[in-house]
Amino acid sequence: MVTRGTIRTAVSLEAMLLAKEKRAQRQTEWSDRYSRPLISLTLVTPGPLKTSARYENIMGVALQVCDQWLRSHGWPVIAREVNWLPTGPEALWCVDHPAPELKAQLIETEQTHPLGRLWDFDVICPVAGPVGRQSLNRHSRRCLVCNEPAACCSRSQCHSRAEVLASVEKIINDWFTRN
């Protein structure tokens, strides 16, 4: 199901939590239905605005990169869904390939693609659950501002929302300047 339209309104914390709950329900339904690893994609969009033409373009690039990457490896996609929601775009793939290898490759994509820091690829194994970076001996996500562990900066609120948004905008502007 694809519904697309840019809505530029602030999203409440309650709406974000509900969206996260619904995403988890979809993931559970897919995992039960297909019994194969899942890739779940959302964007890193700090602040109350979760959708815009720029964010939709970034999601479009992420979808294209992931689809091409899966095709180039010959890894069968069993199902794919994209949802364009007011709380931010989301995508889900069911792939017939081992979850740890999917996660390792997607970490590499997040770290090497110019927009990759704005993509959040999660991989869910139907048996073991979410595959974390630490389980693959990889570093946690880095802060968009200072490159320290993102969870630490987020928890301690080291940076203002304006600083974080400026870093996001710089990544986006650099991408659009190059392309």
Side-chain angles (χ1 to χ4, degrees):
M1 170 177 77
V2 177
T3 56
R4 192 170 184 174
T6 303
I7 301 169
R8 292 194 48 92
T9 58
V11 177
S12 69
L13 177 59
E14 183 178 281
M16 289 302 300
L17 292 173
L18 183 59
K20 186 175 184 177
E21 186 177 310
K22 287 181 178 181
R23 183 169 55 252
Q25 287 173 347
R26 273 192 305 281
Q27 291 168 351
T28 299
E29 289 168 7
W30 276 44
S31 191
D32 291 346
R33 182 182 315 143
Y34 299 112
S35 298
R36 300 281 190 287
L38 305 177
I39 298 171
S40 179
L41 169 64
T42 56
L43 298 180
V44 177
T45 55
L49 293 176
K50 301 299 180 186
T51 187
S52 68
R54 287 165 66 90
Y55 288 162
E56 287 180 0
N57 286 334
I58 290 164
M59 183 64 159
V61 173
L63 294 168
Q64 189 175 44
V65 165
C66 190
D67 288 338
Q68 288 174 348
W69 171 77
L70 290 166
R71 265 192 311 276
S72 73
H73 283 83
W75 296 341
V77 175
I78 308 303
R80 178 183 183 271
E81 177 180 278
V82 180
N83 295 297
W84 302 93
L85 306 170
T87 51
E90 302 176 2
L92 196 58
W93 290 261
C94 175
V95 182
D96 192 10
H97 195 77
E101 190 172 347
L102 289 171
K103 182 64 175 183
Q105 294 293 316
L106 288 166
I107 290 169
E108 188 69 22
T109 300
E110 287 174 345
Q111 293 175 337
T112 59
H113 192 280
L115 291 173
R117 303 227 17 227
L118 303 181
W119 302 338
D120 187 10
F121 284 105
D122 293 325
V123 175
I124 301 113
C125 174
V127 175
V131 179
R133 288 169 175 253
Q134 289 74 19
S135 71
L136 301 174
N137 293 319
R138 300 292 183 98
H139 293 291
S140 59
R141 277 188 164 273
R142 309 316 269 171
C143 174
L144 293 168
V145 177
C146 70
N147 215 33
E148 291 297 318
C152 294
C153 289
S154 178
R155 192 173 21 256
S156 64
Q157 297 181 342
C158 291
H159 313 290
S160 69
R161 182 181 294 165
E163 285 178 293
V164 177
L165 288 172
S167 293
V168 168
E169 289 301 313
K170 181 177 180 348
I171 291 169
I172 295 169
N173 289 338
D174 288 351
W175 169 257
F176 286 120
T177 300
R178 273 186 234 147
N179 295 295

